[in-house]
Amino acid sequence: MSTADIGVVGLAVMGSNLARNFARHGFTVAVYNRTYAKTEEMMSAHGDEGNFVPSQELSDFVASLARPRKAMIMVQAGKATDAVIDQLAELMEPGDMIIDGGNAHFDNTRRREAALRERGLHFVGTGVSGGEEGALLGPAIMPGGSAESYESLGPILEAIAAKAPDGTPCCTRLGPDGAGHFVKMVHNGIEYSDMQLIGEAYDLLRRGAGIEPAELSKLFGEWNAGELDSYLIEVTAEVLGHTDAATGKPFVDVVLDRAGQKGTGRWTVQNALDLGVPVTGIAEATFARALSSGVKQREGTVDLLTGPTEKTELPETFVEDVRQALYASKIVAYAQGFDQIAAASAEYDWGIDLGACSALWRAGCIIRAGFLDKITTAWRENPELPSLLAAPEFTKIVTDAQSAWRRVVSTAALAGIPTPGFSSALAYYDGLRSRRLPAAVIQGQRDFFGSHTYKRVDREGTFHTDWSGDRTEHEM
Ligand code: NBP
């Protein structure tokens, strides 16, 4: 019987939790996993949570889906996803939908969507954020695909998505083909940046101000009750408050300080370079992870490179300064991420609504934060903002924070504590507010050695100076 409202292929941690989430919301869910034992395992542990239709064969799985069929893939990104798409496409009929909820690169999603569209199938590349717990209890869902597919798929996804404080589901169709996976990628990039900034705040307060992890845990807890309210601050308070059972030491002191990465930060930066969008916060965060795990360089220089010899006096307001610098730097990171989404939306003709995008990040996902309400309002009031920093509320927050921000960055430099996130965010702020940038010198250099020409501030046209000759200027 073709009764299942939706099906899930891939029953590892994400797939099985999403399948359970669908079932708990009253949907009949077809489930399939390449290794059938995993399907049996899930059914015996959770089969009583709702209506599941397990299949051992993919053909039976497809046959159990009601038309238009909706099969959500939650398998390893890359080759596994392509293999499953090929197998499903063979069994499906025009009008059916394949939804990829894995962490695919948006270029792959564009390729897959185009190939399946040729066959009359809908391909919905969907970002899913919130980790295992989110998948079960309500993730933020970022679908990209045809408007037609969203008509019947949207209500199912919206039902299982997290709900924002105002009750709105954290799931919106972001645009065609790669739009959803692109937004998920930038979400992860912002996540990298946010985590790095919080790490720097910890480092400044621990190494700089000598505050112990247990105290810092309380401080982050307090910050979480104010304008920094966010999942990542909450998680940080938990991590810093945890004691290692084996040694009795703060957990943070027994963890090897080499940050891992699965690649979405790198993808974000690579794409930003292609689009020419300065996502300096995400880039610094990605490189900071690379530096932390660059064992050869760290071990080979740690005893050679000396730091400041004099003790750095901290400003009396240091703790509050760090909080303000963190908030301002976070806003810069989000502003840069939105710039990248806007640039890609124009490049690929996706028509992404930045207000809808920020609204769907308000709950369920890793970067959920209280201030996303303010960001949503800013984009909704003026979708044409040249930058999030131009929204009156954010202009005020960052300009009000600048004294504290400067004290933190300069104190960090004097104390020898690396703050690539805070420093680059402040440099970005100063770059934007500078009426003249040294790019004029760069243009001169480029024209000098490569005849790359330049424009003038006082008249229209393109010019070149005869640097090797009599230095007369020619209009090109
Ligand atoms: P994994 O990424 O660990 O993938 C395991 C699943 O892929 C199993 O069901 C496995 O089947 C299946 N699979 C593989 Br591997 N190769 C296959 C093939 N050739 N044909 C069919 N099935 C194949 O699972 P996960 O951690 O649940 O993540 C699923 C997706 O969700 C990934 O793309 C991931 O990037 C994304 N994601 C994960 C998180 C998270 O927090 N973990 C968050 C958001 C998104 P088997 O049992 O037969 O080996």
Side-chain angles (χ1 to χ4, degrees), residues 134-361:
L136 183 63
L137 303 176
I141 308 180
M142 295 157 245
S146 65
E148 191 192 334
S149 61
Y150 199 73
E151 276 174 29
S152 61
L153 176 64
I156 302 178
L157 296 182
E158 289 179 16
I160 67 147
K163 304 294 176 292
D166 64 4
T168 319
C170 291
C171 172
T172 308
R173 175 180 172 264
L174 290 157
D177 59 79
H181 274 138
F182 189 90
V183 166
K184 172 61 167 44
M185 176 187 81
V186 176
H187 163 285
N188 285 25
I190 293 173
E191 178 185 311
Y192 272 52
S193 186
D194 214 343
M195 291 167 76
Q196 171 66 21
L197 292 169
I198 295 171
E200 290 176 18
Y202 156 80
D203 206 14
L204 287 163
L205 296 172
R206 179 91 190 269
R207 272 209 277 173
I211 308 174
E212 290 303 311
E215 272 306 297
L216 286 176
S217 168
K218 285 189 203 141
L219 183 66
F220 276 90
E222 285 163 26
W223 286 0
N224 196 39
E227 58 193 1
L228 280 172
D229 159 33
S230 64
Y231 176 68
L232 284 169
I233 294 278
E234 183 191 325
V235 165
T236 309
E238 292 287 335
V239 169
L240 292 177
H242 183 58
T243 302
D244 175 52
T247 60
K249 290 181 180 173
F251 168 79
V252 71
D253 287 349
V254 300
V255 176
L256 195 62
D257 59 341
R258 295 179 200 160
Q261 48 185 313
K262 281 192 174 168
T264 40
R266 188 179 68 238
W267 291 351
T268 313
V269 179
Q270 284 169 336
N271 169 266
L273 289 171
D274 289 341
L275 293 173
V277 182
V279 293
T280 54
I282 300 170
E284 288 293 355
T286 309
F287 286 130
R289 288 195 190 191
L291 186 149
S292 78
S293 51
V295 181
K296 182 178 107 180
Q297 290 82 1
R298 284 182 74 186
E299 287 182 351
T301 55
V302 67
D303 295 325
L304 302 177
L305 306 176
T306 57
T309 46
E310 285 167 30
K311 189 170 179 325
T312 307
E313 289 301 320
L314 300 183
E316 277 181 20
T317 51
F318 193 60
V319 174
E320 171 58 13
D321 284 353
V322 170
R323 190 193 68 80
Q324 288 189 31
L326 174 57
Y327 193 34
S329 303
K330 263 173 90 114
I331 290 167
V332 165
Y334 280 68
Q336 294 179 341
F338 280 108
D339 284 345
Q340 185 170 357
I341 293 171
S345 181
E347 173 80 14
Y348 298 108
D349 211 8
W350 283 332
I352 296 176
D353 173 348
L354 299 182
C357 177
S358 36
L360 88 78
W361 287 345

Side-chain angles (χ1 to χ4, degrees), residues 11-14 33-35 38 74-77 80 84 102-103 128:
L11 300 176
V13 56
M14 290 297 288
N33 194 72
R34 178 181 61 176
T35 309
K38 243 184 222 168
M74 291 307 291
V75 303
Q76 210 171 61
V84 174
N103 262 341
V128 178

Side-chain angles (χ1 to χ4, degrees), residues 296-442:
K296 182 178 107 180
Q297 290 82 1
R298 284 182 74 186
E299 287 182 351
T301 55
V302 67
D303 295 325
L304 302 177
L305 306 176
T306 57
T309 46
E310 285 167 30
K311 189 170 179 325
T312 307
E313 289 301 320
L314 300 183
E316 277 181 20
T317 51
F318 193 60
V319 174
E320 171 58 13
D321 284 353
V322 170
R323 190 193 68 80
Q324 288 189 31
L326 174 57
Y327 193 34
S329 303
K330 263 173 90 114
I331 290 167
V332 165
Y334 280 68
Q336 294 179 341
F338 280 108
D339 284 345
Q340 185 170 357
I341 293 171
S345 181
E347 173 80 14
Y348 298 108
D349 211 8
W350 283 332
I352 296 176
D353 173 348
L354 299 182
C357 177
S358 36
L360 88 78
W361 287 345
R362 287 179 299 166
C365 65
I366 305 295
I367 64 168
R368 61 187 182 257
F371 82 147
L372 274 159
D373 260 336
K374 289 191 191 9
I375 298 181
T376 305
T377 306
W379 288 124
R380 288 200 170 140
E381 280 177 358
N382 184 1
E384 304 304 322
L385 281 172
S387 159
L388 186 62
L389 301 184
E393 185 158 15
F394 289 107
T395 307
K396 180 163 173 16
I397 295 170
V398 289
T399 48
D400 285 355
Q402 67 164 314
S403 300
W405 207 355
R406 294 185 194 289
R407 278 192 296 276
V408 169
V409 169
S410 53
T411 305
L414 288 173
I417 298 172
T419 54
F422 281 14
S423 307
S424 71
L426 182 59
Y428 179 80
Y429 172 89
D430 281 330
L432 290 187
R433 58 165 209 87
S434 293
R435 294 211 182 276
R436 292 280 295 159
L437 287 168
V441 177
I442 294 169

